[in-house]
Amino acid sequence: MHKHAVINIFDEQRFLGEAGSRLTRNAGIVGFVGLGLSLFLGFLDKDSLAHFQHSYLVAFCFFFTISLGALFFLCTQHVTRAGWSVAVRRVAELLAGLLPILFVLFLPILVPLLMGNSGLYSWNNPKVVEESHLLKHKQVFLNPQAFALRSVAYFAIWTILARYFLGRSVQQDTDGNPDWTTRMQSVSAPACILFALTTTFAAFDWLMSLLPEWYSTIFGVYFFAGTAIAFFAGVILTSMLIQRTGRLSHAITTEHYHDLGKFMFGFVVFWAYIGFSQLMLIWYANIPEELVFYRMRWQGGWEYISLALLFGHFFIPFLGLVSRHVKRSRFGLAFWATWLLVMHWLDLYWLVMPNLDSNRVPWSLMDATCMLGVGGLFVAAFAWLASDRSLVPVRDPRLRDSLAFKNA
């Protein structure tokens, strides 16, 4: 790691202040209007809100994965005692700090399920279970009470970890005690294990069980790969937007963006590797219960979405991001981060919506209004959480190294 002249962090504008309050108010209004419009359109469909629930799940997972990926980033940076990332770590801490708020946004999925609605999860319909020998055996795992208990447990673990990292880091801003860094490092190793287990089972519960007779043991890793891409794209764009307001003008440098770009590029390759591994194993085993997943995505127009993901989620960004110069160009990196967020949304749409209609691609205005609704509340919550906190951990003992960090 090379170093250059260190900036004085206390010369930086480090708080959102009044801008955070305005953003909270405006984004919150957009969010509530978006969700209200989505519900109105959902009732017009007269399908027991099935389409609304599927569109809402896509939107929820899109923003949820950005926050969950932030928690993964915090765990790995602490467990490896990384110094380069301290300048961007507070943005990740704030994104992860939204996980308890995302539990509230998860309630429109959980509450109808507990009330007996089967519009999203067919395994909640007794008639469907009665007709399936396989689902009868899965009832111990796939029932609304167990689903709710597991979901609450996932959010409880993520909330405790995310608020621990954010709380200790903010506390260090005040007292400058280096012991907080040591304690966060001590927690990070078991946190990595808990993250891996909860992320895998959440992927099984929330997405894989949409097609309850299908199973893939690698599905949790596939979901994690998309989660990591969503975070790195999200933190790059969030940091750039913060800097456009005149904040953290010098604290986050081209060197930090270069490393974030490397991570994003690496997970593009990892996503393709896991996606291909899943396809190859299912094709080779040739088991009917497993083949149905890909058969649904290769008919009725879904084959074009599958091809769009192959090229748009891997080949094109691979070629676009392979150059060092692109990762060091803010315009280039912002373009590919935006591109990959669009592809991540398409990937989630590809995972969720064929379970609503596999005979056609059921595009709907609700897909956009749900994104607007959940996205507006997500941005409002971020601005609210960030408004009175420094956007960089000013008294972290490794901040000096991070500010002076330079790639070889």
Side-chain angles (χ1 to χ4, degrees):
M1 183 174 73
H2 292 235
K3 299 180 180 180
H4 55 70
V6 179
I7 68 161
N8 185 351
I9 193 64
F10 294 99
D11 290 340
E12 288 274 56
Q13 192 176 350
R14 296 176 285 110
F15 295 89
L16 284 182
E18 183 57 31
S21 302
R22 283 199 304 273
L23 184 58
T24 301
R25 181 179 61 251
N26 295 337
I29 292 171
V30 170
F32 283 116
V33 170
L35 288 185
L37 192 56
S38 302
L39 267 176
F40 174 72
L41 293 171
F43 280 116
L44 287 182
D45 270 5
K46 297 180 180 177
D47 62 351
S48 302
L49 294 177
H51 200 140
F52 165 78
Q53 288 180 300
H54 283 78
S55 295
Y56 185 88
L57 181 62
V58 173
F60 169 81
C61 285
F62 179 85
F63 292 101
F64 162 76
T65 48
I66 295 174
S67 286
L68 189 64
L71 182 59
F72 158 74
F73 181 75
L74 294 176
C75 294
T76 53
Q77 296 307 294
H78 282 300
V79 81
T80 57
R81 303 183 180 183
W84 73 270
S85 58
V86 174
V88 295
R89 206 186 67 213
R90 180 57 53 80
V91 177
E93 289 168 349
L94 292 167
L95 287 171
L98 300 180
L99 283 165
I101 296 167
L102 281 159
F103 175 68
V104 178
L105 293 176
F106 184 70
L107 293 179
I109 297 168
L110 185 59
V111 172
L113 183 80
L114 290 172
M115 294 173 68
N117 185 293
S118 58
L120 190 57
Y121 298 106
S122 61
W123 50 259
N124 201 32
N125 186 336
K127 291 182 181 175
V128 173
V129 175
E130 188 61 33
E131 294 170 358
S132 170
H133 178 72
L134 196 57
L135 287 188
K136 286 179 184 174
H137 285 280
K138 289 188 174 183
Q139 255 193 315
V140 176
F141 189 84
L142 289 180
N143 64 77
Q145 291 76 26
F147 181 97
L149 283 173
R150 289 194 300 273
S151 297
V152 169
Y154 305 149
F155 275 107
I157 291 169
W158 296 330
T159 297
I160 291 169
L161 291 176
R163 286 309 177 104
Y164 178 82
F165 287 128
L166 177 61
R168 299 296 82 77
S169 183
V170 170
Q171 178 69 28
Q172 195 174 53
D173 288 351
T174 305
D175 59 25
N177 186 351
D179 288 347
W180 293 125
T181 297
T182 307
R183 292 183 191 183
M184 287 190 281
Q185 288 169 356
S186 302
V187 168
S188 57
C192 286
I193 298 171
L194 286 172
F195 173 87
L197 290 172
T198 51
T199 300
T200 300
F201 278 94
F204 289 169
D205 278 336
W206 301 350
L207 293 176
M208 198 168 83
S209 79
L210 290 167
L211 188 60
E213 293 188 339
W214 179 73
Y215 55 88
S216 165
T217 52
I218 207 172
F219 186 80
V221 186
Y222 179 84
F223 175 74
F224 161 70
T227 295
I229 291 173
F231 163 70
F232 285 111
V235 77
I236 287 169
L237 292 176
T238 304
S239 300
M240 287 182 179
L241 288 171
I242 288 172
Q243 288 195 304
R244 282 181 67 86
T245 68
R247 294 163 177 83
L248 304 184
S249 302
H250 302 97
I252 302 177
T253 66
T254 299
E255 308 300 332
H256 299 117
Y257 286 122
H258 187 182
D259 270 15
L260 292 171
K262 289 181 202 171
F263 272 112
M264 190 167 67
F265 174 74
F267 276 102
V268 164
V269 178
F270 184 67
W271 175 89
Y273 168 70
I274 296 299
F276 173 74
S277 299
Q278 179 175 268
L279 171 65
M280 183 190 67
L281 290 172
I282 288 176
W283 169 78
Y284 189 75
N286 200 26
I287 301 172
E289 288 89 349
E290 296 179 346
L291 289 173
V292 65
F293 178 85
Y294 288 104
R295 190 180 301 130
M296 289 169 65
R297 289 159 178 80
W298 202 254
Q299 63 182 17
W302 284 105
E303 63 270 30
Y304 301 114
I305 305 295
S306 301
L307 288 172
L309 280 175
L310 175 63
F311 287 94
H313 208 307
F314 175 57
F315 284 118
I316 295 174
F318 176 85
L319 294 174
L321 277 168
V322 73
S323 166
R324 166 189 173 92
H325 300 293
V326 173
K327 291 191 278 287
R328 295 179 69 83
S329 159
R330 299 202 181 192
F331 175 79
L333 198 58
F335 172 81
W336 287 112
T338 306
W339 174 284
L340 283 169
L341 280 179
V342 172
M343 286 298 121
H344 179 57
W345 177 86
L346 191 64
D347 186 27
L348 291 169
Y349 192 88
W350 182 79
L351 290 174
V352 173
M353 298 307 278
N355 301 291
L356 175 68
D357 191 343
S358 61
N359 295 315
R360 66 183 181 90
V361 182
W363 301 115
S364 165
L365 183 60
M366 261 186 295
D367 302 328
T369 56
C370 281
M371 284 294 289
L372 200 64
V374 179
L377 296 179
F378 182 85
V379 172
F382 178 84
W384 169 74
L385 195 62
S387 58
D388 61 347
R389 291 177 169 88
S390 171
L391 294 170
V392 64
V394 288
R395 301 181 77 177
D396 187 290
R398 291 191 298 259
L399 178 61
R400 185 180 175 84
D401 290 340
S402 181
L403 296 176
F405 165 64
K406 190 175 181 181
N407 280 287

